Amino acid sequence: MAKLYFYYASMNAGKSATLLQANFNYNERGMRTMLWTAAIDDRGAGEGDAHAIESRIGLHAGAHRFAAGTDLFGRVGAVHAEAALSCVLVDEAQFLTPAQVWQCADIADKAGIPVLCYGLRTDFRGELFPGSAVLLGIADTLVELKAVCHCGRKASMNLRVDARGNAVSEGPQAEIGGNDRYIALCRRHFSEAMGR
């Protein structure tokens, strides 16, 4: 029985690297996969999208890009009908719409293909992303990947910073950036940085 998985963590926990390792494992055994990432995150775009998913440790792979209107169930189903897929892997899953999360569940439940989603649980204010909220509610398996705060405790929060390194508490929920824009912190240090 195929399942819907949600691997979640703060920034810098190795979500993309873990996804790419899982993809490698499937491919090494001759199994076909389909990779997806958010269209909003174009940091890896280039070279024919060969770097659509890229980890901080240098691993990368091409991937299809989803936007809010992308029909994942239809797109995956069309590819699966031509040649069977063994797994669907979704990076930046926090950007899935609630409807797309349910489509991922349908891919597992109706098409019998495991779906492995990787993403952030919360934004820079400590609030759930809509896609992550639905994944936390309906995924068959939840796996927390660990990042480390500068104090050595588990980093579970994502602090957005400005160009001077000061905490940012306002702005759009989705703002793409890496280590220059976000710092993974434990809840205590996140709260202190946000002045709570």
Side-chain angles (χ1 to χ4, degrees), residues 171-189:
Q173 186 175 45
E175 187 174 303
I176 303 304
N179 291 343
D180 59 324
R181 296 288 297 146
Y182 294 94
I183 301 169
L185 296 174
C186 66
R187 186 178 56 238
R188 175 183 163 202
H189 286 110

Side-chain angles (χ1 to χ4, degrees), residues 41-52:
D41 185 359
D42 61 359
R43 289 174 295 165
E47 298 181 39
D49 234 18
H51 291 254

Side-chain angles (χ1 to χ4, degrees), residues 58-129:
L59 303 173
H60 57 84
H64 300 271
R65 293 190 183 270
F66 65 85
T70 304
D71 177 3
L72 293 173
F73 185 75
R75 297 272 305 272
V76 170
V79 170
H80 186 59
E82 291 178 14
L85 291 168
S86 296
C87 186
V88 173
L89 300 104
V90 181
D91 200 23
E92 304 293 351
Q94 71 272 10
F95 296 127
L96 292 167
T97 66
Q100 287 170 326
V101 174
W102 281 100
Q103 290 173 13
C104 289
D106 286 343
I107 292 166
D109 298 341
K110 296 177 182 176
I113 306 167
V115 180
L116 284 60
C117 294
Y118 298 79
L120 300 173
R121 181 180 61 167
T122 59
D123 66 13
F124 71 104
R125 293 178 292 244
E127 298 173 4
L128 291 171
F129 284 94

